[in-house]
Amino acid sequence: MYSKFTYFCLLKQIKTKNNNMATTTWSIDPMHSDVQFKIKHLVISTVSGSFKTFDGEAVTDSEGFDNAAITFNIDPASIDTNQSMRDGHLKNADFFDVEKYPTITFKSTSFKKASGDNYKLVGNLTMHGVTKPVELDVEYGGSEKDNSGNQKYGFEVTGKIPRKEFGLTYNAITETGGLALGEDVKLVANIQVAKKA
């Protein structure tokens, strides 16, 4: 059984070890990143769009990205499909309802290497007032210094989001009885990060 002095010394060692585990915060460079999506229209073609306003960061306990804690925020009001009328419809209560739900958020629960430069990113996505777990694929693209000498790291994030599970249930029926919109949204995000100043 430990004496009070020994117990105190053990606690001090644990505290010192924890304090020495410095973390690194990586911020997204919005000028060299983008968030795009695709959805089937009339089953025969694909409509593409993007979100223009977003931010996020990753916190790691080392110089690498394994087990990084990742957060990401999107402003759904920044949606752009190159058609202002369609964008207005997507912002209203039929879809994102941006006045009621002004932010889409993602918080990771796991970020692990699958093989080579490929990772699996798991976390909770909150959209349209609904929070559900999602799994995304991440490909590490490499690192390079920019013209200012900042070390940048690149990733491509892909996945499918079942929109109906997040309350985005609007659809229409075609003359042949088909659905006007697909039920899965394909996500493609090209992300560049650098150490937070």
Side-chain angles (χ1 to χ4, degrees), residues 26-113:
W26 310 84
S27 295
I28 289 177
D29 176 1
M31 291 185 63
H32 299 98
S33 303
D34 58 62
V35 179
Q36 305 172 32
F37 63 87
K38 298 179 180 181
I39 188 169
K40 282 290 186 181
H41 181 245
L42 300 178
V43 187
I44 62 172
S45 63
T46 300
V47 172
S48 301
S50 63
F51 294 100
K52 299 300 185 183
T53 304
F54 53 86
D55 64 73
E57 64 180 27
V59 178
T60 64
D61 56 11
S62 66
E63 290 296 313
F65 290 92
D66 288 344
N67 300 313
I70 299 166
T71 58
F72 198 83
N73 307 294
I74 296 173
D75 177 6
S78 70
I79 195 167
D80 183 2
T81 64
N82 203 34
Q83 294 288 337
S84 59
M85 185 178 295
R86 179 168 56 207
D87 294 344
H89 188 197
L90 290 169
K91 294 175 189 179
N92 74 20
D94 283 342
F95 289 95
F96 289 105
D97 199 357
V98 298
E99 291 188 5
K100 188 175 182 180
Y101 307 107
T103 309
I104 299 170
T105 62
F106 174 84
K107 292 184 178 181
S108 70
T109 56
S110 174
F111 184 63
K112 295 182 178 179
K113 179 174 286 191

Side-chain angles (χ1 to χ4, degrees), residues 2-193:
Y2 292 130
S3 68
K4 287 185 177 180
F5 177 76
T6 302
Y7 185 67
F8 173 79
C9 290
L10 286 171
L11 286 178
K12 187 174 181 181
Q13 288 176 0
I14 292 172
K15 185 176 181 181
T16 300
K17 183 178 179 180
N18 288 337
N19 288 339
N20 289 335
M21 292 177 62
T23 60
T24 303
T25 300
W26 310 84
S27 295
I28 289 177
D29 176 1
M31 291 185 63
H32 299 98
S33 303
D34 58 62
V35 179
Q36 305 172 32
F37 63 87
K38 298 179 180 181
I39 188 169
K40 282 290 186 181
H41 181 245
L42 300 178
V43 187
I44 62 172
S45 63
T46 300
V47 172
S48 301
S50 63
F51 294 100
K52 299 300 185 183
T53 304
F54 53 86
D55 64 73
E57 64 180 27
V59 178
T60 64
D61 56 11
S62 66
E63 290 296 313
F65 290 92
D66 288 344
N67 300 313
I70 299 166
T71 58
F72 198 83
N73 307 294
I74 296 173
D75 177 6
S78 70
I79 195 167
D80 183 2
T81 64
N82 203 34
Q83 294 288 337
S84 59
M85 185 178 295
R86 179 168 56 207
D87 294 344
H89 188 197
L90 290 169
K91 294 175 189 179
N92 74 20
D94 283 342
F95 289 95
F96 289 105
D97 199 357
V98 298
E99 291 188 5
K100 188 175 182 180
Y101 307 107
T103 309
I104 299 170
T105 62
F106 174 84
K107 292 184 178 181
S108 70
T109 56
S110 174
F111 184 63
K112 295 182 178 179
K113 179 174 286 191
S115 62
D117 291 331
N118 299 308
Y119 292 77
K120 287 291 183 181
L121 173 60
V122 180
N124 294 314
L125 176 66
T126 300
M127 180 168 61
H128 201 256
V130 178
T131 301
K132 285 185 174 292
V134 296
E135 182 177 295
L136 304 170
D137 295 314
V138 180
E139 181 181 358
Y140 171 58
S143 67
E144 189 60 74
K145 286 186 178 181
D146 63 14
N147 292 335
S148 300
N150 300 309
Q151 195 75 30
K152 299 289 190 69
Y153 296 81
F155 300 87
E156 182 179 73
V157 184
T158 59
K160 289 185 178 181
I161 307 300
R163 64 184 182 90
K164 284 190 173 182
E165 292 187 12
F166 292 89
L168 302 178
T169 58
Y170 178 87
N171 218 324
I173 305 297
T174 66
E175 290 184 0
T176 59
L179 295 176
L181 294 175
E183 296 187 356
D184 288 332
V185 180
K186 292 182 179 179
L187 171 71
V188 180
N190 294 289
I191 302 298
Q192 221 179 83
V193 301

